[in-house]
Amino acid sequence: MNFSLILSNILNPPVLFFFLGMLAIFVKSDLEIPAPVPKLFSLYLLFAIGFKGGVELIKSGIDQSVVLTMLAAILMACIVPLYTFFILRVRLDTYNAAAIAATYGSISAVTFITAGSFLQQLDIPSHGYMVAALALMESPAIIVGLILVNLFTREEDSDREFSWPEVLQEAFLNSSVFLLVGSLLIGVLTGEHGWEVLKPFSQDLFYGVLTFFLLDMGLVAARRIKDLEKTGVFLVSFAILIPIVNAGIGLAIAKLIGMSQGDALLFCVLCASASYIAVPAAMRLTVPEANPSLYVSTALAVTFPFNIIIGIPLYLYGINLLWR
Amino acid sequence: MNFSLILSNILNPPVLFFFLGMLAIFVKSDLEIPAPVPKLFSLYLLFAIGFKGGVELIKSGIDQSVVLTMLAAILMACIVPLYTFFILRVRLDTYNAAAIAATYGSISAVTFITAGSFLQQLDIPSHGYMVAALALMESPAIIVGLILVNLFTREEDSDREFSWPEVLQEAFLNSSVFLLVGSLLIGVLTGEHGWEVLKPFSQDLFYGVLTFFLLDMGLVAARRIKDLEKTGVFLVSFAILIPIVNAGIGLAIAKLIGMSQGDALLFCVLCASASYIAVPAAMRLTVPEANPSLYVSTALAVTFPFNIIIGIPLYLYGINLLWR
Amino acid sequence: MNFSLILSNILNPPVLFFFLGMLAIFVKSDLEIPAPVPKLFSLYLLFAIGFKGGVELIKSGIDQSVVLTMLAAILMACIVPLYTFFILRVRLDTYNAAAIAATYGSISAVTFITAGSFLQQLDIPSHGYMVAALALMESPAIIVGLILVNLFTREEDSDREFSWPEVLQEAFLNSSVFLLVGSLLIGVLTGEHGWEVLKPFSQDLFYGVLTFFLLDMGLVAARRIKDLEKTGVFLVSFAILIPIVNAGIGLAIAKLIGMSQGDALLFCVLCASASYIAVPAAMRLTVPEANPSLYVSTALAVTFPFNIIIGIPLYLYGINLLWR
Amino acid sequence: MHPVKRIEIISDSIELGKIVESLEKAQVSSYTVIRNVGGKGIKGTMSNDLDMSRMENDYVLAICPPEQVKSVVESVRPILNRFGGICLISDAMEIRSMQCVASL
Amino acid sequence: MHPVKRIEIISDSIELGKIVESLEKAQVSSYTVIRNVGGKGIKGTMSNDLDMSRMENDYVLAICPPEQVKSVVESVRPILNRFGGICLISDAMEIRSMQCVASL
Amino acid sequence: MHPVKRIEIISDSIELGKIVESLEKAQVSSYTVIRNVGGKGIKGTMSNDLDMSRMENDYVLAICPPEQVKSVVESVRPILNRFGGICLISDAMEIRSMQCVASL
Ligand SMILES: Nc1ncnc2c1ncn2[C@@H]1O[C@H](COP(=O)(O)O)[C@@H](O)[C@H]1O
Ligand SMILES: Nc1ncnc2c1ncn2[C@@H]1O[C@H](COP(=O)(O)O)[C@@H](O)[C@H]1O
Ligand SMILES: Nc1ncnc2c1ncn2[C@@H]1O[C@H](COP(=O)(O)O)[C@@H](O)[C@H]1O
Ligand code: NA
Ligand code: NA
Ligand code: NA
């Protein structure tokens, strides 16, 4: 049953340390992970999954299912911001609606990684090339978001001046995408041999770094929770319901193109997760009219914990039902 | 003989790197471990021993000897600040006496960890639940110290206003205690399974991180040595003699309740060590009248090196004599 | 053939990540390794090679070939700054010529380490005591450089006042030399036993840390490339040709005193590499008249990448020819 | 451009919470904090060497209209008196930035 | 000693590139940057908690002769108006240091 | 509140020891140091990219009574002349904090 899945997810060190981090804020402990450490850990995690993905990609080769998966990934990254924009527009102005839509169209690498370690724990296999899907899904939503802003604010606000080169720069060359894709390509280039020498660093430490990182994410998410008061009920419900809807669509597509169960879970998690790093930074720069605390807090304080704790086992439960 | 124990302790990489750190300051090398790294390493060490302790606790279960050990730990944490306060009162005012007493009533986790790695090297077993004793001994001394301040300064100084909730907060929810206890509980919850996946991170790196951390401790301790001039002969002798006395009392209690040799050493080290992290921070906040350089410098520049270099093998020598 | 060696060097994760770092700057990605991390990694690398070198030195013992190698190392560290000074004097003033000469007389530990991992990959053995040669070659060039400044500027500039104690301090007790030599001595003292316990930290992580560090070096080197415009063609050619010349001399000496192929490569790399850490810092303090962007940029943006990418396999190619 | 007051407070990190609280109490809700600042004062050197014990300093900069200074000083002074640290007030001109955040 | 103006700019890290550019455009080619500064402004708390998302602040200090201030302000103001942040101008005396770098 | 002078010194990290020494020589024994500050001056950009070579800057802030300024300037100037860096002096008011540390 679903609850046993949730339980076995929660009784994982990374998820428990996430709770511990949240608890630290609630009881006002002064625990903190000092400033550049979370950044270092996130660079490490991107490097490690990128590199591993590349090595596995070159081992498995590129066949039809890889191509289909990539197309599905790009498709979802483009349509999610579109339809969420119109939902958000009901209550919010164009700027904020577009920024939040872009946030939910993009992905959260840590949610993906946590789902990966959940699969590993349950011995459900998944393909290395899913990391390529992750990489492909980071950027398109940024572009879609900006097109929406341009379309719907053209007349009223004529002095908006962002240069498309700068936008493309932000979308495709921000540090997350760059390091992930770079590591993936290096994994492809060095293959099995490079893997052998880097394994103690990039594989053995992985789980521990993830655990520590989620401890910090717990601190960060809990600190953002008080922002939710200003955010309102509409956005909070949005931040829980839309991931489920997106995961549902992802699930249908995954079934349609015949993904394995493991890959399907990762794909659903990509669809369901929201970016709280790359997209917010891009939005600050290109849509400064939007309120960062809206798009950051919903993604970080609601959607991220929801996915980590309930979403992942829930989506797997759905997959188990459908794939049987 | 004792000297061979001291030698085998000193010829350990962690202790040698501690010396190297001190040497760097004495010869004015510009070696330094940049700012958040020592903090990160101390978080790591607390996480690692807490988690391991929790896993071992759930494996061994809680029996009478565990309960006796915990009671002994709390007892020592309460009486050490009491009697040291009156010794210190001979020469110091109430504020400083209470702050130093609290410092010596609490513990130093790194001294404990170094003792643990010393035991491991000599293949002397010890129980994982000693980490729980460590956790229990951090906070009580803070409370005792503040009660002493309140008792002995009530009339003269009526505008002292610290709130007990804030004090309890500082004592029981400071980052060291919180992370240690939290990791221990997560270790208990995830047990053997969690241990398996986190082992490469939390076990294999442990010794190396400890070594690097002690290099930094050497730098820190040596920088504090010049403060000792102002501290005076009384406090310096106190900082060497009291650990021996406390270890002696600890040893007697350990024998009484039938601890194993390994556990007895760890217990002695807990009694003998002085806090230079949690307690000083709590004292700064609650007894700002006390001079931090007194309680920090004695604990850090005298007691810590003494325990690391001479104390640990000395206490083991005593245990070897008594347990034979 | 040479090209296959270059290729097998380039298709190494560390070298590829170096390229990735450079690329990040060229395409203006915002990738960066936050501030104290590179410092931590360089401390780690010095610690790890020093410690390993010490352990291997005590295993192999000190025989005639060790002594010859050390003498050769000191010799090269003294003559390289001498003759390069006179070459540089053709175009530059005394201060800059001496500072750059000192830079090229000293060594780059990371170049050495990269060469070591290249050897390991090709299964070519080398001796641990080469680390001692590395340590011996860091400082002499600083002294030689300052003697040159003193000799050639005495009359014109009478208010130069640097104290020799301060200079010797900088030369022999700067953090790089201190940590390297300290770790080496601790390796000698603890031998096989210390190695056993520290291996997961100092050996297994080594390659990964090197890879990450080279990613940062790529960022750093590429950022310096724009400085080369001001530097001029003379210095850029110097920065490529002199390493080859120095490696050639090193190769001849290595052949003369009968080093193994692996040791010969490491020795050539030491001769060919230029310091961008210890010497620049010492020069800033003792020859502030020299322009740091000249000596740092040539060493970092030209010589370092040249050695890492082309130099190492080129020198090995030469050795393969001569040793056959 | 209009005249403002720069309020600078340097104190132990452990006081930061109280200081920020007292700023907010004095209606100063915008400020900048530089953490882990080294220094030496009456209590001796607070270099990074005790970083782990949270015994370094923090630097707080708050810009406010001249008329607010008095209430800030009254609010911050007791904390500094009790725990140490230093508070400076100086003059500056601010470039009024009129930010167009849609939702604010 | 001669009078100079201290220009202080506190803003989101993502703006740093634009701000430095605008300083250079106004012929101010010497400046100091303190990165990863925490703070709270109209946009809410920017503590280190989003460090990884580059959403902290940077502090820029540029010292320049009084006559340059106007062009700096004109150059920086549009950026602050668009992206937020604060710019202060105050007076100071500089100790003229005449550095003898041989090659400059 | 009483008037004081803010002395700000920005210089290469390698000079920090000498600068602090010269402050102490001029009887200024309280100061604040912000380390690893980036910047650009005559010698070019000193961003964090050479952190490991200790070639970043440090920022020193010392508050002292007006009458001490002259001796500080005389003490610090030769160092800046030789190694580069910048020294600023400005006015401020200090909130006198009377700390009650029992043992001082
Ligand atoms: N005169 C001063 N100038 C600059 N910073 C100061 C001064 N006095 C105190 N500080 C800073 O405030 C911190 C606490 O000061 P104190 O409470 O006097 O120990 C010191 O560590 C310094 O960083
Ligand atoms: N009045 C102020 N005093 C000090 N710092 C400020 C002030 N207003 C804004 N800041 C800084 O500038 C950053 C951006 O401000 P804002 O654009 O208003 O959100 C804040 O996070 C603060 O660090
Ligand atoms: N005009 C200025 N404004 C702000 N900071 C400066 C200025 N001039 C120099 N600095 C700082 O002082 C450092 C050393 O300056 P310099 O000796 O000129 O290279 C620079 O890297 C800057 O951080
Ligand atoms: Na998504
Ligand atoms: Na104790
Ligand atoms: Na060389």
Side-chain angles (χ1 to χ4, degrees):
Chain A
M1 228 317 281
N2 202 3
F3 285 116
S4 78
L5 268 181
I6 292 185
L7 204 72
S8 90
N9 179 47
I10 286 177
L11 285 181
N12 244 343
V15 177
L16 286 171
F17 274 95
F18 180 77
F19 282 123
L20 190 65
M22 294 191 93
L23 185 66
I25 297 298
F26 297 149
V27 302
K28 294 196 166 54
S29 168
D30 63 319
L31 181 65
E32 64 176 346
I33 313 293
V37 174
K39 173 108 192 217
L40 170 65
F41 284 179
S42 81
L43 292 175
Y44 168 86
L45 292 174
L46 290 171
F47 156 80
I49 59 163
F51 188 68
K52 192 176 177 190
V55 171
E56 293 186 2
L57 189 59
I58 197 69
K59 266 206 304 206
S60 71
I62 295 179
D63 58 11
Q64 196 201 344
S65 62
V66 177
V67 174
L68 279 177
T69 305
M70 299 305 132
L71 288 177
I74 296 175
L75 181 75
M76 280 304 281
C78 293
I79 62 167
V80 169
L82 272 180
Y83 81 81
T84 49
F85 174 76
F86 291 104
I87 297 175
L88 289 159
R89 231 10 224 96
V90 173
R91 288 293 186 88
L92 299 169
D93 60 76
T94 305
Y95 299 119
N96 281 307
I100 300 176
T103 305
Y104 279 82
S106 184
I107 51 84
S108 147
V110 180
T111 312
F112 177 87
I113 290 171
T114 311
S117 87
F118 182 56
L119 285 177
Q120 221 171 349
Q121 186 199 333
L122 298 176
D123 279 323
I124 302 177
S126 65
H127 283 100
Y129 59 69
M130 290 309 292
V131 173
L134 163 76
L136 285 174
M137 287 179 81
E138 282 222 58
S139 317
I142 297 175
I143 312 293
V144 174
L146 289 176
I147 292 175
L148 288 169
V149 170
N150 269 13
L151 279 179
F152 289 87
T153 62
R154 223 172 342 181
E155 54 280 12
E156 32 175 309
D157 179 14
S158 57
D159 71 333
R160 304 203 74 253
E161 18 92 33
F162 62 77
S163 58
W164 276 103
E166 199 186 347
V167 167
L168 295 174
Q169 169 82 21
E170 265 300 308
F172 293 107
L173 295 172
N174 67 67
S175 57
S176 310
V177 173
F178 185 86
L179 183 58
L180 187 70
V181 173
S183 304
L184 194 137
L185 291 180
I186 292 178
V188 165
L189 281 173
T190 60
E192 200 57 46
H193 173 74
W195 178 246
E196 227 40 74
V197 287
L198 276 179
K199 192 168 168 287
F201 183 74
S202 63
Q203 167 105 326
D204 297 352
L205 298 189
F206 190 80
Y207 204 76
V209 172
L210 176 63
T211 301
F212 237 87
F213 190 73
L214 280 179
L215 173 62
D216 183 63
M217 288 300 297
L219 295 166
V220 170
R223 267 188 227 124
R224 286 272 157 183
I225 279 179
K226 63 177 171 304
D227 283 9
L228 294 181
E229 287 165 32
K230 292 175 242 160
T231 309
V233 179
F234 173 71
L235 266 186
V236 174
S237 347
F238 173 90
I240 291 178
L241 295 177
I242 284 296
I244 301 180
V245 173
N246 289 347
I249 304 178
L251 200 151
I253 296 182
K255 182 76 195 168
L256 205 76
I257 65 175
M259 287 191 191
S260 76
Q261 294 193 33
D263 292 357
L265 178 69
L266 294 179
F267 186 62
C268 287
V269 163
L270 287 176
C271 298
S273 68
S275 167
Y276 49 85
I277 303 186
V279 176
M283 289 300 121
R284 270 291 292 132
L285 214 54
T286 51
V287 193
E289 295 87 351
N291 185 351
S293 73
L294 293 187
Y295 48 89
V296 175
S297 301
T298 45
L300 204 47
V302 185
T303 304
F304 179 77
F306 172 77
N307 277 327
I308 290 288
I309 299 165
I310 299 170
I312 295 176
L314 181 69
Y315 311 149
L316 186 62
Y317 178 68
I319 290 167
N320 283 344
L321 286 183
L322 265 174
W323 262 248
R324 234 191 284 144
Chain B
M1 230 317 282
N2 201 2
F3 284 117
S4 78
L5 268 180
I6 292 185
L7 205 71
S8 91
N9 178 47
I10 286 177
L11 285 181
N12 244 343
V15 177
L16 287 171
F17 274 96
F18 180 77
F19 282 123
L20 190 67
M22 295 192 92
L23 185 65
I25 298 297
F26 297 149
V27 302
K28 296 194 163 55
S29 169
D30 64 318
L31 181 65
E32 63 176 346
I33 313 293
V37 174
K39 174 108 192 218
L40 169 65
F41 284 178
S42 81
L43 292 175
Y44 168 85
L45 292 174
L46 290 171
F47 156 79
I49 60 164
F51 188 68
K52 193 180 177 187
V55 171
E56 293 187 3
L57 188 61
I58 197 68
K59 266 206 305 205
S60 72
I62 295 181
D63 57 11
Q64 195 200 345
S65 61
V66 176
V67 174
L68 280 178
T69 304
M70 299 305 133
L71 290 177
I74 296 175
L75 181 75
M76 280 303 282
C78 292
I79 61 167
V80 168
L82 273 181
Y83 80 80
T84 50
F85 173 75
F86 292 104
I87 296 175
L88 289 159
R89 238 359 230 101
V90 173
R91 287 293 186 89
L92 300 168
D93 59 76
T94 305
Y95 298 118
N96 281 308
I100 301 176
T103 305
Y104 280 83
S106 184
I107 53 83
S108 147
V110 181
T111 312
F112 176 87
I113 290 170
T114 311
S117 87
F118 182 56
L119 285 176
Q120 219 171 351
Q121 185 198 335
L122 298 176
D123 279 322
I124 302 176
S126 64
H127 283 100
Y129 58 69
M130 290 310 292
V131 173
L134 163 76
L136 286 174
M137 288 179 82
E138 281 221 61
S139 318
I142 297 175
I143 312 292
V144 174
L146 288 175
I147 293 176
L148 288 170
V149 170
N150 269 11
L151 279 180
F152 290 88
T153 61
R154 223 174 339 183
E155 55 280 11
E156 32 176 309
D157 180 14
S158 55
D159 71 334
R160 303 202 77 250
E161 20 89 35
F162 61 77
S163 57
W164 275 104
E166 198 185 348
V167 167
L168 294 174
Q169 170 83 21
E170 265 299 308
F172 293 106
L173 295 172
N174 68 67
S175 57
S176 311
V177 173
F178 185 85
L179 183 58
L180 186 71
V181 174
S183 305
L184 194 138
L185 292 179
I186 292 178
V188 165
L189 281 174
T190 60
E192 201 58 43
H193 173 75
W195 178 246
E196 227 40 73
V197 288
L198 276 178
K199 192 168 168 288
F201 183 74
S202 63
Q203 167 106 327
D204 299 352
L205 298 189
F206 190 80
Y207 204 78
V209 172
L210 176 63
T211 301
F212 237 88
F213 190 74
L214 279 180
L215 173 63
D216 183 64
M217 288 300 296
L219 295 166
V220 170
R223 267 186 226 125
R224 286 272 158 182
I225 278 180
K226 63 178 173 301
D227 283 8
L228 295 181
E229 289 166 31
K230 293 174 239 158
T231 308
V233 180
F234 173 72
L235 266 186
V236 173
S237 344
F238 173 91
I240 291 179
L241 296 178
I242 284 296
I244 302 181
V245 173
N246 289 347
I249 303 176
L251 198 151
I253 296 181
K255 183 76 195 171
L256 205 76
I257 65 176
M259 287 189 190
S260 75
Q261 293 194 31
D263 293 357
L265 178 69
L266 294 178
F267 186 62
C268 288
V269 163
L270 287 176
C271 298
S273 68
S275 167
Y276 48 85
I277 304 186
V279 178
M283 289 299 121
R284 270 290 292 130
L285 215 55
T286 51
V287 194
E289 296 87 351
N291 184 351
S293 71
L294 294 187
Y295 49 88
V296 175
S297 302
T298 45
L300 204 47
V302 185
T303 303
F304 180 76
F306 172 77
N307 276 329
I308 290 289
I309 299 165
I310 299 171
I312 294 175
L314 181 71
Y315 311 150
L316 185 62
Y317 178 67
I319 290 168
N320 283 345
L321 286 182
L322 265 174
W323 263 247
R324 235 189 284 144
Chain C
M1 229 317 282
N2 202 4
F3 284 116
S4 77
L5 268 179
I6 291 184
L7 205 71
S8 90
N9 179 47
I10 286 176
L11 285 181
N12 243 343
V15 177
L16 287 171
F17 274 95
F18 180 77
F19 282 123
L20 190 66
M22 295 192 92
L23 185 66
I25 297 298
F26 296 149
V27 302
K28 294 196 165 54
S29 168
D30 64 319
L31 181 66
E32 64 176 343
I33 314 291
V37 175
K39 174 108 192 219
L40 170 65
F41 284 179
S42 80
L43 291 176
Y44 168 86
L45 292 174
L46 290 170
F47 156 79
I49 59 162
F51 188 69
K52 192 178 178 188
V55 171
E56 294 187 2
L57 189 60
I58 197 69
K59 266 207 303 206
S60 71
I62 294 178
D63 58 11
Q64 196 200 344
S65 62
V66 176
V67 174
L68 279 177
T69 304
M70 299 305 134
L71 290 176
I74 296 176
L75 181 75
M76 279 304 282
C78 292
I79 62 168
V80 168
L82 272 180
Y83 80 80
T84 49
F85 174 75
F86 291 103
I87 296 174
L88 289 159
R89 241 353 234 104
V90 173
R91 286 294 185 88
L92 300 168
D93 60 78
T94 305
Y95 298 118
N96 281 307
I100 300 176
T103 304
Y104 280 82
S106 184
I107 52 82
S108 147
V110 180
T111 313
F112 176 87
I113 290 169
T114 311
S117 86
F118 182 56
L119 285 178
Q120 221 171 348
Q121 185 198 336
L122 299 176
D123 278 323
I124 303 177
S126 65
H127 282 100
Y129 58 69
M130 290 311 292
V131 174
L134 163 76
L136 286 174
M137 286 178 82
E138 282 222 58
S139 317
I142 297 174
I143 312 293
V144 174
L146 289 175
I147 292 176
L148 288 169
V149 170
N150 268 13
L151 279 179
F152 289 89
T153 61
R154 221 171 343 180
E155 54 279 11
E156 31 175 310
D157 180 13
S158 55
D159 72 334
R160 305 201 76 253
E161 19 89 35
F162 61 77
S163 59
W164 277 103
E166 197 185 348
V167 168
L168 296 173
Q169 170 82 22
E170 266 300 308
F172 293 106
L173 295 172
N174 67 66
S175 58
S176 310
V177 172
F178 186 86
L179 183 58
L180 186 70
V181 172
S183 304
L184 194 138
L185 292 179
I186 292 179
V188 165
L189 281 174
T190 59
E192 200 59 43
H193 172 75
W195 178 246
E196 227 42 71
V197 287
L198 276 177
K199 191 167 168 289
F201 182 75
S202 63
Q203 168 105 328
D204 298 351
L205 299 188
F206 191 80
Y207 205 77
V209 172
L210 176 63
T211 300
F212 237 87
F213 190 73
L214 280 179
L215 173 62
D216 182 64
M217 288 299 298
L219 295 167
V220 170
R223 268 188 225 124
R224 286 272 156 183
I225 278 180
K226 64 176 171 301
D227 283 7
L228 294 180
E229 288 166 32
K230 293 175 240 158
T231 308
V233 180
F234 173 72
L235 266 187
V236 174
S237 345
F238 173 90
I240 291 179
L241 296 177
I242 284 296
I244 302 181
V245 173
N246 289 347
I249 303 177
L251 199 152
I253 297 182
K255 183 76 195 167
L256 204 77
I257 65 175
M259 285 187 190
S260 76
Q261 293 193 32
D263 293 357
L265 178 70
L266 294 178
F267 186 62
C268 287
V269 163
L270 287 176
C271 298
S273 68
S275 167
Y276 49 85
I277 304 185
V279 177
M283 289 299 121
R284 270 292 291 132
L285 214 54
T286 52
V287 194
E289 296 87 350
N291 184 349
S293 72
L294 293 187
Y295 50 87
V296 175
S297 301
T298 46
L300 205 48
V302 186
T303 303
F304 180 77
F306 172 77
N307 276 327
I308 289 289
I309 299 165
I310 299 170
I312 294 176
L314 181 70
Y315 311 149
L316 185 62
Y317 179 67
I319 290 168
N320 283 344
L321 286 183
L322 263 173
W323 262 247
R324 232 189 287 148
Chain D
M1 296 220 290
H2 62 287
V4 291
K5 292 284 181 183
R6 297 173 80 248
I7 304 177
E8 295 171 284
I9 303 168
I10 307 168
S11 70
D12 261 32
S13 296
I14 48 163
E15 296 166 54
L16 181 63
K18 289 180 203 295
I19 283 171
V20 163
E21 231 169 66
S22 76
L23 286 176
E24 304 258 5
K25 218 171 62 194
Q27 312 294 333
V28 176
S29 61
S30 292
Y31 43 81
T32 295
V33 179
I34 307 182
R35 300 191 52 184
N36 299 330
V37 157
K40 196 178 146 197
I42 319 177
K43 293 189 306 293
T45 314
M46 289 286 171
S47 45
N48 285 339
D49 64 282
L50 275 179
D51 183 34
M52 53 199 170
S53 71
R54 297 150 39 204
M55 293 192 79
E56 64 285 316
N57 298 312
D58 284 328
Y59 172 101
V60 178
L61 172 67
I63 313 302
C64 69
E67 54 276 16
Q68 244 178 324
V69 165
K70 216 177 141 246
S71 67
V72 172
V73 168
E74 259 155 40
S75 177
V76 168
R77 195 204 297 264
I79 302 174
L80 299 181
N81 278 352
R82 186 156 163 74
F83 298 104
I86 195 169
C87 173
L88 291 184
I89 292 163
S90 56
D91 293 302
M93 300 298 290
E94 191 198 355
I95 315 298
R96 179 39 93 228
S97 66
M98 269 165 302
Q99 212 192 329
C100 47
V101 174
S103 58
L104 294 177
Chain E
M1 297 223 287
H2 63 284
V4 292
K5 292 283 183 186
R6 296 173 80 248
I7 304 176
E8 294 172 286
I9 303 166
I10 306 168
S11 69
D12 259 32
S13 295
I14 46 162
E15 297 167 53
L16 181 62
K18 289 180 204 295
I19 284 171
V20 163
E21 233 170 65
S22 76
L23 286 177
E24 305 258 4
K25 217 170 64 192
Q27 313 293 332
V28 175
S29 61
S30 292
Y31 42 82
T32 294
V33 179
I34 306 183
R35 299 189 54 183
N36 300 329
V37 157
K40 196 178 147 201
I42 318 177
K43 294 187 306 294
T45 314
M46 290 284 172
S47 45
N48 285 339
D49 64 280
L50 275 179
D51 184 35
M52 54 200 169
S53 72
R54 296 152 40 207
M55 292 191 79
E56 65 285 315
N57 297 313
D58 285 327
Y59 172 100
V60 178
L61 172 66
I63 313 303
C64 69
E67 55 275 16
Q68 246 178 324
V69 165
K70 217 177 140 246
S71 66
V72 171
V73 169
E74 259 154 41
S75 177
V76 168
R77 192 203 298 263
I79 302 175
L80 298 182
N81 277 352
R82 187 156 164 71
F83 298 104
I86 195 170
C87 173
L88 291 185
I89 293 164
S90 57
D91 292 303
M93 301 297 291
E94 191 198 355
I95 314 298
R96 182 35 97 228
S97 66
M98 270 166 298
Q99 211 194 330
C100 48
V101 173
S103 59
L104 295 178
Chain F
M1 297 222 287
H2 63 286
V4 291
K5 293 284 182 183
R6 296 173 80 249
I7 304 177
E8 294 172 285
I9 303 168
I10 306 168
S11 69
D12 260 32
S13 295
I14 46 162
E15 295 166 55
L16 181 63
K18 289 180 203 296
I19 284 170
V20 163
E21 233 169 64
S22 76
L23 287 177
E24 303 259 3
K25 219 170 63 193
Q27 314 293 333
V28 175
S29 60
S30 292
Y31 42 81
T32 293
V33 179
I34 306 182
R35 298 188 56 183
N36 301 330
V37 157
K40 195 178 147 200
I42 319 178
K43 294 187 307 292
T45 314
M46 290 285 172
S47 45
N48 285 339
D49 65 281
L50 275 178
D51 184 34
M52 54 199 169
S53 70
R54 297 148 41 205
M55 291 193 80
E56 64 285 316
N57 297 314
D58 283 328
Y59 172 100
V60 178
L61 172 66
I63 314 301
C64 68
E67 54 276 15
Q68 244 178 326
V69 165
K70 217 177 140 244
S71 66
V72 172
V73 169
E74 259 153 41
S75 177
V76 168
R77 192 202 298 263
I79 302 175
L80 298 181
N81 278 352
R82 187 156 162 72
F83 298 104
I86 196 169
C87 174
L88 291 185
I89 291 163
S90 57
D91 293 303
M93 300 298 289
E94 191 198 354
I95 316 297
R96 179 40 92 230
S97 66
M98 270 167 301
Q99 210 193 331
C100 49
V101 174
S103 59
L104 294 177

